[in-house]
Amino acid sequence: MADLAELEQKIIGLIATADDLGVLESIRIDALGKKGEISLLLKTLGKMQAEERKTFGAAVNQLKGRINQALATRKTALEDEVLDKRLATETLDVTLPVQADPSHQGRLHPLSQVWEEVTAIFADMGFTIADGPHIETDFYNFTALNIPPHHPARQEHDTFYFAPDAEGNRKVLRTQTSNVQIRTMENQEPPIRIVAPGRTYRCDSDLTHTPQFHQIEALVIDKVTTLGHLKGTLEEFFKAFFEVDDLKIRFRSNHFPFTEISYEVDISYSRVGNKIVIGDGEEWLEILGSGMVHPNVLRNCGLDPDVYQGFAFGMGIDRIAMLKYGIPDLRAFFDADLRWIEHYGFTPFDIPSLAGGLSR
Ligand code: DAH
């Protein structure tokens, strides 16, 4: 029996110090394998007396049980150690590679950029942004703007007409953003100070015209509104938009049905080589139409021209975008050519503002 206790101590000691699964397995074989020490002990039972066999057999079997238990416990501990080691050293990267600089992937169309720049400038001056329907009635696109049926100005507009309704009225695709003037005055008490950037449509297509283009309309109505206000507003706007300190503007007498007095406005520029540089210079570039709102237009909107006056102007967003960014061909705006957008486009994360800079 003393042998058994010694044997147990030896084997349990070996198990406790086994430091890998291979060593542990050879300890198991040495103890419990076919020719292992415990198995050999069991083989001696046959030669024993019945009584001795009983007690010795039971003792060896219990020993075998305890060794098995110790082996199992040690095995689990070693397996855990192996797993912990793997977890500590092996890594699996489940992330996707980040693109070098995603902010340089997408591009904002120059028209969207200029649209944002223009609205940022006017918003800073205290104008609110307004819009109106693109499919418009004849009244809002023409009649209320002092362009009655058969007025010659209608011919200049190359209007897209819809099929007449049951009463014979034909809707139009608005030919100008001036329709927003009427809708604003109908719905809002003066003082009014709005700009309306938007899409406009005319049945015209050549080097300098596309059937769909963009305008921005401005309308200011108050009890005292003068040409001085118009001039100051335009000067401020063009300096901010073209990002120059100095620039002259010139009013040339003109005719628009919805203004009385009416002007076409030019801005100064100089030619450097074959480039146009907007800013103080000796040459003039026609840029927009403007004037003091016609008393008939005020009356059409229910305003008394003896109480209220105002000014209005309208200009092409496409045109000022081409001038500012040196884009020679208007039609390219509508080609959806990615190479062109990459060349002329803007990063969508640089939101234009007067404080932070419009384009740089
Ligand atoms: N609606 C004019 C056009 O499409 C532009 C215009 C000129 C608008 C004079 C105005 C203005 O408000 O006063 O050609």
Side-chain angles (χ1 to χ4, degrees):
M1 283 295 172
D3 288 354
L4 281 192
E6 223 170 84
L7 186 60
E8 178 168 4
Q9 212 179 10
K10 183 190 91 181
I11 296 174
I12 297 286
L14 286 174
I15 290 173
T17 53
D19 54 6
D20 75 51
L21 289 166
V23 173
L24 191 66
E25 178 61 6
S26 54
I27 295 169
R28 188 191 68 78
I29 292 168
D30 287 349
L32 305 175
K34 260 191 199 163
K35 292 178 184 160
E37 288 170 287
I38 307 288
S39 312
L40 292 179
L41 282 177
L42 288 171
K43 278 183 189 155
T44 62
L45 288 177
K47 292 176 197 147
M48 289 182 183
Q49 297 299 315
E51 197 54 26
E52 193 190 2
R53 184 190 305 149
K54 211 172 154 193
T55 43
F56 188 70
V60 174
N61 272 323
Q62 281 164 10
L63 173 59
K64 195 175 163 186
R66 287 194 295 279
I67 288 172
N68 264 325
Q69 181 65 44
L71 283 168
T73 308
R74 186 69 192 141
K75 191 170 180 227
T76 312
L78 285 175
E79 281 169 351
D80 285 352
E81 256 174 49
V82 169
L83 184 63
D84 285 347
K85 238 187 240 165
R86 279 186 65 189
L87 287 176
T89 53
E90 288 179 14
T91 54
L92 177 64
D93 185 1
V94 294
T95 56
L96 283 173
V98 174
Q99 285 175 341
D101 188 349
S103 68
H104 284 275
Q105 290 298 310
R107 279 284 184 278
L108 210 57
H109 193 285
L111 275 178
S112 307
Q113 167 77 14
V114 167
W115 182 303
E116 292 298 324
E117 291 179 18
V118 166
T119 50
I121 297 167
F122 283 114
D124 198 72
M125 287 187 193
F127 286 74
T128 44
I129 312 298
D131 197 9
H134 297 199
I135 296 174
E136 190 52 290
T137 64
D138 184 278
F139 176 79
Y140 286 103
N141 194 74
F142 292 122
T143 309
L145 284 156
N146 204 30
I147 317 175
H150 312 300
H151 190 288
R154 290 193 177 216
Q155 264 76 66
E156 289 162 22
H157 276 212
D158 301 307
T159 312
F160 284 113
Y161 285 98
F162 284 78
D165 64 15
E167 281 94 53
N169 298 318
R170 293 190 298 175
K171 285 200 169 167
V172 301
L173 278 178
R174 68 174 178 189
T175 58
Q176 49 188 351
T177 42
S178 305
N179 67 329
V180 184
Q181 284 192 29
I182 308 300
R183 292 186 171 274
T184 305
M185 283 189 274
E186 276 184 349
N187 293 314
Q188 200 179 311
E189 289 279 314
I192 290 170
R193 220 183 280 170
I194 58 113
V195 285
R199 292 183 181 174
T200 43
Y201 309 83
R202 289 188 201 178
C203 186
D204 201 355
S205 184
D206 59 31
L207 261 180
T208 51
H209 298 89
T210 47
Q212 189 257 298
F213 56 108
H214 303 82
Q215 286 189 338
I216 181 162
E217 188 82 11
L219 175 72
V220 171
I221 303 285
D222 208 337
K223 285 187 175 152
V224 182
T225 318
T226 67
L227 271 178
H229 293 132
L230 170 61
K231 187 165 189 234
T233 305
L234 290 175
E235 252 169 24
E236 278 306 303
F237 168 73
F238 283 119
K239 277 189 208 163
F241 178 72
F242 287 109
E243 300 174 61
V244 294
D245 296 330
D246 225 354
L247 175 139
K248 292 188 294 251
I249 71 173
R250 178 172 83 172
F251 284 79
R252 263 185 305 104
S253 188
N254 202 294
H255 173 264
F256 297 107
F258 29 82
T259 43
E260 177 63 44
I261 185 166
S262 306
Y263 293 107
E264 229 155 31
V265 174
D266 301 338
I267 58 172
S268 57
Y269 76 97
S270 49
R271 234 171 238 285
V272 180
N274 57 359
K275 258 178 126 187
I276 283 178
V277 180
I278 310 266
D280 199 11
E282 294 314 308
E283 319 245 13
W284 295 101
L285 204 63
E286 179 190 321
I287 199 102
L288 60 82
S290 70
M292 301 306 288
V293 178
H294 198 292
N296 287 349
V297 174
L298 294 170
R299 273 187 218 105
N300 289 340
C301 302
L303 295 176
D304 181 350
D306 291 329
V307 180
Y308 293 110
Q309 317 94 43
F311 65 78
F313 57 86
M315 71 184 144
I317 295 180
D318 316 67
R319 178 161 162 70
I320 61 171
M322 290 167 79
L323 284 171
K324 180 164 179 177
Y325 292 112
I327 299 169
D329 189 347
L330 171 70
R331 294 168 301 184
F333 279 139
F334 302 89
D335 282 345
D337 184 336
L338 275 180
R339 292 165 305 176
W340 184 87
I341 302 227
E342 230 160 67
H343 179 74
Y344 284 108
F346 295 84
T347 158
F349 299 108
D350 283 344
I351 297 176
S353 77
L354 283 187
L358 288 183
S359 65
R360 39 189 109 131

